[in-house]
Amino acid sequence: MRKASKTPPKAAAPASSRIVRAFRWIGQGRLVAIACMLGLVAFRLLDPALLETARLRTFDFYQILKPRERAPLPVVIVDIDERSLREIGQWPWPRSDVADLLRTIGRAGGIAVAFDILFAEPDRLSPDRFGRSIARLSGEAAAELDRLPNTDTLLAETMGQMRIVVGQAARGRDTAQNAEQPGTPVAFIGPDPRSHLITYPGLLRNIEPLDAAASGRGLLSILPDLDSIVRRVALVAAVGETIHPSLSVELLRVATGGNAVAIKTDAAGVRSVVVGGVEVPTDPRGRIWIHYTPHDKARFVSAVDLMRGSFNVDRIRNHLVLVGTSAIGLLDLKATPLDPAMPGVEVHAQILETILDKSYLVRPNYALGAEIVLAIALSLLVVILAPILGAIPVLFLGMAIAAATVGGSWYLYIEHRMLIDVVYPLMTSFTAFMILVFLNYRREEVQRQQIRSAFGQYLAPSFVEQIARNPERLSLGGETRKMTFLFSDVRDFTAISESYKSDPQGLTTLMNRFLTPLSDAILRQGGTIDKYMGDAIMAFWNAPLDTPDHAADACAAALEMVRRLAEVNAARLAEDEKAGRTHVPLRVGIGLNTGDCVVGNMGSEFRFDYSVMGDAVNLASRLEGQTKTYGVTIIAGAETARGAADDYAFLEIDRIRVKGKSEPETIHCLVGDAKMRRDPAFLEEKTVFASMLNAYRSQDWSTAAAALTRFAEIAPPALAGLVPAYRARLARLSMTPPGPVWDGVFTAETK
């Protein structure tokens, strides 16, 4: 008989131990990367604005690389352009002129006409209304004007003889205006779509005679995406419980003689809109992706050419006609993927062309699922291979996968006009890769973080980074560098502070509220904030790190500071109005100057700061003080203006001896960016003011005064303060001329 073994059998390992061993085999880095990947899946399902904007910008890039090719389609824009306004007169024109324009379109053979214009009030230029607006008009003249035809009636009669679509604007508040007037019949094929459509509480319509005479009524309103770019336009939208078609859809319906617009729906929302026998695919909210072509002047016929009869009839015959404006002053400009300022009427034309050409951009319903699956697959591939292959081979593998992913998305866009996002899958997989890389270098980063924590509250961020890499730089000393300096100060802040006598905490909150965005504007342009002096800020560029374009960077920061302060004032105004308080806006003065100075660690062995000293610094401070004298916001020295002349708009405003300096300085007002520098209006302002300065320095006071008067007529608000400053100076000098030895330099009496 065999003896039983004395060794007991091995007990099965507990389940918890197996899980622990599995986790150890997977590794901390892989677990963190997988957890992050799952978090990003949830992030995609939430689809915050940042992620949506990145996706939309990708689709914009596709259209920029390969826009729709413009085919010869029967769509034309009758354009109330700058030339029309110059030759016919300012808008609005008399409705009798609009009626003449319609009759010309009708005689030329236009199929149907849509107005990208709203006639919400009666014509103030109608003879009967115009007569009542003239004071002391004789009774006989008033009676004669009353007998003339009403221009609204004339326009309504003309519209009744043609196929006309008038626009109506969705409003952000409820209104019962013209509620009794008819709308376009809308039929549903499937469930009621109202819960899915873009909905507005109110509607602004045309006056009753014109609305009643029109063959159709379409929504003018175009709701842009979160970044204010128009990519998708609702073909139908709800106003209250009533569904209205867009202007483009209504024009197609009227042109084809259709009685109604049909909406096909399913449980997910809208599938398509049917108009004129054409089924247009949409997203669940009833929106169409516009397949843009670049802005094309060939789409436009100037309204003045039609009114003068100097146009090619073939441009109108058998065409759908949109009447709108490209004039900048009428403010109907839209940002699109291809153009930052496309006329709104051209957007409507591009919608029509997209439909007529059937060149639809499509984002299928399964796109979200496909993008999430792709993101998970790529991320898991990185998580599995990175620890095995190493970072560099995985990097090249990732580049190959990224190229294939982007190439596939591009192929779908080119061949099938399908919009599939690659930003999210690549972002997710790249995040997993970066987590693995990050954990490998965590120990070194912890050491650097200790230095950052110790000195980050005292020194400039860029200097802290240098210390983290080179701790030996913590010693006294300085160097001479050419730098640009910025001083800013809030105007009348003492008076503002007095209003907070009983609320010192409120004053602190106010200072933090405006100093934070102003400081952020400086730091974002690579500046170092030297110190805060109450409500004032001192900053500099080109130290401790080299910044070749330091003058331009400082100018960019100054303009951004002004813009951000305007945002703060707008928010404070709304709060003050809501609370019933008197609103006192914050105004800032900024001085800029470029020159040599000494920069480095200054102080004692026990306490020192990284700071600057030199004459150029003092001049920047004096120039900030002179913004009050000249009534402008930003004054720059000559060296700064020269350094940033190619990128920014400057206006020379004087030669001045600031307090404490004997040498004169040519000073300039910083007006705007490169776009402003090329603006014809600014060039005219610059020319006129230069002629005033030449006459002023030549002691030709009358010529200088005449040029200053002309400048006052054209000067924008940002430069308007120069007018009273020079008007007072010219009046004083003409009464007491300085004599032949005068050098034309103004000596400042104050800081």
Side-chain angles (χ1 to χ4, degrees):
M1 188 172 179
R2 296 175 59 185
K3 293 184 179 179
S5 173
K6 295 183 179 180
T7 304
K10 286 187 178 180
S16 59
S17 299
R18 291 198 299 270
I19 294 174
V20 170
R21 285 199 299 271
F23 280 167
R24 287 176 179 172
W25 179 82
I26 295 173
Q28 181 186 18
R30 284 189 173 120
L31 289 174
V32 173
I34 291 173
C36 183
M37 177 194 71
L38 295 176
L40 288 174
V41 170
F43 184 69
R44 177 62 185 89
L45 293 173
L46 292 173
D47 201 18
L50 178 66
L51 198 58
E52 181 181 5
T53 300
R55 180 169 64 252
L56 294 175
R57 291 297 175 89
T58 302
F59 300 156
D60 291 349
F61 185 63
Y62 288 174
Q63 289 213 62
I64 291 170
L65 291 180
K66 184 68 175 177
R68 175 172 59 86
E69 295 181 4
R70 185 166 180 259
L73 297 167
V75 179
V76 67
I77 298 170
V78 173
D79 186 17
I80 302 170
D81 54 6
E82 304 284 1
R83 186 164 67 89
S84 298
L85 297 178
R86 188 167 56 250
E87 297 187 22
I88 303 299
Q90 70 180 47
W91 184 263
W93 295 339
R95 302 275 162 82
S96 55
D97 287 355
V98 180
D100 290 341
L101 183 64
L102 279 182
R103 284 192 289 269
T104 301
I105 294 172
R107 288 193 297 270
I111 299 173
V113 181
F115 280 99
D116 185 26
I117 297 167
L118 199 63
F119 302 105
E121 300 87 20
D123 186 5
R124 62 182 177 82
L125 298 177
S126 185
D128 51 340
R129 285 183 166 271
F130 184 69
R132 289 192 292 273
S133 69
I134 302 176
R136 301 178 183 176
L137 186 67
S138 68
E140 181 180 348
E144 182 64 25
L145 286 173
D146 279 340
R147 285 192 291 271
L148 293 174
N150 179 276
T151 54
D152 286 322
T153 303
L154 284 175
L155 179 56
E157 291 173 352
T158 303
M159 290 171 63
Q161 300 168 10
M162 301 174 62
R163 294 177 175 178
I164 303 297
V165 176
V166 292
Q168 46 193 13
R171 293 164 65 98
R173 57 186 176 86
D174 194 8
T175 176
Q177 182 188 25
N178 299 337
E180 73 283 356
Q181 296 186 16
T184 300
V186 177
F188 306 154
I189 305 175
D192 190 327
R194 289 183 180 89
S195 61
H196 300 280
L197 298 179
I198 295 172
T199 303
Y200 301 95
L203 187 67
L204 181 63
R205 305 181 71 157
N206 298 273
I207 60 174
E208 193 278 333
L210 303 183
D211 204 284
S215 305
R217 298 145 203 89
L219 287 175
L220 299 175
S221 304
I222 294 177
L223 192 64
D225 286 312
L226 294 173
D227 54 0
S228 299
I229 295 177
V230 177
R231 303 177 182 89
R232 299 169 286 188
V233 173
L235 297 187
V236 287
V239 179
E241 291 298 315
T242 305
I243 297 178
H244 295 265
S246 69
L247 187 72
S248 306
V249 167
E250 186 70 345
L251 178 57
L252 281 175
R253 182 190 71 82
V254 169
T256 57
N259 294 323
V261 172
I263 303 176
K264 288 188 175 182
T265 61
D266 55 24
V270 180
R271 287 171 43 209
S272 61
V273 172
V274 182
V275 57
V278 177
E279 183 173 351
V280 184
T282 69
D283 70 4
R285 304 194 70 188
R287 297 176 299 183
I288 183 176
W289 290 82
I290 306 175
H291 198 177
Y292 281 102
T293 69
H295 169 70
D296 191 349
K297 292 182 179 179
R299 285 191 179 94
F300 295 80
V301 176
S302 178
V304 69
D305 289 339
L306 267 73
M307 299 181 77
R308 301 282 168 78
S310 56
F311 68 98
N312 183 354
V313 175
D314 290 337
R315 295 293 308 281
I316 303 296
R317 183 184 293 120
N318 296 326
H319 278 63
L320 302 176
V321 182
L322 289 160
V323 179
T325 179
S326 66
I328 296 174
L330 297 184
L331 303 178
D332 186 24
L333 298 175
K334 310 292 182 184
T336 72
L338 303 187
D339 195 320
M342 180 176 286
V345 67
E346 189 173 6
V347 174
H348 289 292
Q350 299 246 23
I351 298 170
L352 283 169
E353 291 178 359
T354 299
I355 295 173
L356 294 174
D357 196 31
K358 296 185 178 180
S359 180
Y360 310 118
L361 293 178
V362 178
R363 181 159 169 78
N365 292 337
Y366 58 79
L368 173 60
E371 290 159 5
I372 290 177
V373 169
L374 180 60
I376 293 174
L378 294 180
S379 299
L380 290 177
L381 190 63
V382 170
V383 167
I384 293 171
L385 293 180
I388 299 173
L389 300 180
I392 299 302
V394 170
L395 177 62
F396 284 103
L397 176 63
M399 293 172 61
I401 293 174
T405 305
V406 173
S409 176
W410 176 250
Y411 169 81
L412 292 174
Y413 170 76
I414 291 295
E415 296 298 325
H416 303 285
R417 295 189 292 275
M418 188 180 297
L419 300 175
I420 299 296
D421 177 32
V422 294
V423 172
Y424 169 71
L426 293 179
M427 178 194 74
T428 304
S429 57
F430 182 73
T431 301
F433 172 75
M434 290 306 299
I435 286 174
L436 296 172
V437 173
F438 167 78
L439 291 176
N440 288 333
Y441 292 96
R442 184 173 181 273
R443 183 176 302 173
E444 181 180 349
E445 182 60 27
V446 168
Q447 295 174 349
R448 293 184 179 181
Q449 189 60 41
Q450 292 174 348
I451 294 178
R452 294 188 185 97
S453 299
F455 296 99
Q457 299 182 21
Y458 305 101
L459 302 178
S462 55
F463 191 53
V464 172
E465 290 300 321
Q466 286 200 8
I467 294 174
R469 293 191 296 267
N470 304 289
E472 66 275 6
R473 296 197 60 175
L474 282 173
S475 59
L476 291 174
E479 59 177 326
T480 300
R481 299 182 72 133
K482 188 172 186 178
M483 300 170 60
T484 298
F485 310 95
L486 179 149
F487 280 81
S488 75
D489 194 14
V490 175
R491 296 284 164 260
D492 304 320
F493 193 72
T494 301
I496 296 173
S497 301
E498 290 179 355
S499 64
Y500 286 86
K501 283 183 178 179
S502 60
D503 184 17
Q505 187 63 37
L507 179 61
T508 301
T509 301
L510 177 64
M511 290 184 63
N512 291 338
R513 188 172 181 179
F514 69 78
L515 285 176
T516 297
L518 267 58
S519 302
D520 185 60
I522 293 170
L523 295 175
R524 284 180 179 274
Q525 294 299 327
T528 297
I529 297 175
D530 184 275
K531 59 178 68 73
Y532 296 99
M533 299 157 285
D535 58 295
I537 303 174
M538 174 187 170
F540 54 80
W541 279 260
N542 203 32
L545 303 178
D546 292 332
T547 310
D549 298 325
H550 50 89
D553 291 340
C555 291
L559 291 172
E560 180 66 10
M561 290 169 71
V562 174
R563 186 189 69 79
R564 294 205 182 188
L565 188 62
E567 292 178 352
V568 172
N569 279 328
R572 291 181 61 244
L573 174 61
E575 294 166 5
D576 291 342
E577 289 178 345
K578 184 177 181 180
R581 295 190 297 263
T582 301
H583 176 67
V584 180
L586 297 170
R587 297 179 299 111
V588 69
I590 300 174
L592 298 171
N593 188 47
T594 301
D596 293 332
C597 77
V598 176
V599 58
N601 297 320
M602 300 180 189
S604 69
E605 293 182 358
F606 305 102
R607 171 67 186 249
F608 56 84
D609 290 314
Y610 191 79
S611 189
V612 291
M613 290 194 325
D615 185 63
V617 184
N618 299 330
L619 179 56
S621 176
R622 296 291 188 268
L623 294 184
E624 179 275 315
Q626 290 305 311
T627 58
K628 293 179 285 189
T629 303
Y630 291 89
V632 297
T633 302
I634 308 172
I635 293 182
E639 190 69 21
T640 303
R642 280 194 294 271
D646 293 337
D647 301 309
Y648 292 91
F650 290 94
L651 179 74
E652 181 182 341
I653 58 175
D654 208 355
R655 282 179 57 76
I656 183 174
R657 290 187 186 91
V658 299
K659 193 173 181 64
K661 274 181 63 73
S662 59
E663 291 297 321
E665 177 78 10
T666 301
I667 60 175
H668 304 256
C669 175
L670 174 59
V671 182
D673 56 15
K675 183 178 179 181
M676 173 67 74
R677 179 174 170 267
R678 298 187 295 270
D679 186 81
F682 170 71
L683 295 175
E684 181 183 5
E685 295 155 10
K686 189 172 183 178
T687 301
V688 172
F689 198 80
S691 66
M692 188 281 295
L693 282 180
N694 289 334
Y696 162 78
R697 291 166 181 167
S698 302
Q699 303 190 43
D700 187 351
W701 314 122
S702 60
T703 301
L708 187 63
T709 299
R710 171 58 183 156
F711 181 76
E713 295 172 353
I714 62 175
L719 298 174
L722 292 169
V723 176
Y726 266 99
R727 190 167 283 157
R729 193 187 298 183
L730 289 172
R732 185 177 68 254
L733 291 173
S734 61
M735 295 292 294
T736 310
V741 297
W742 185 57
D743 58 2
V745 177
F746 173 71
T747 300
E749 301 296 332
T750 62
K751 294 184 179 180

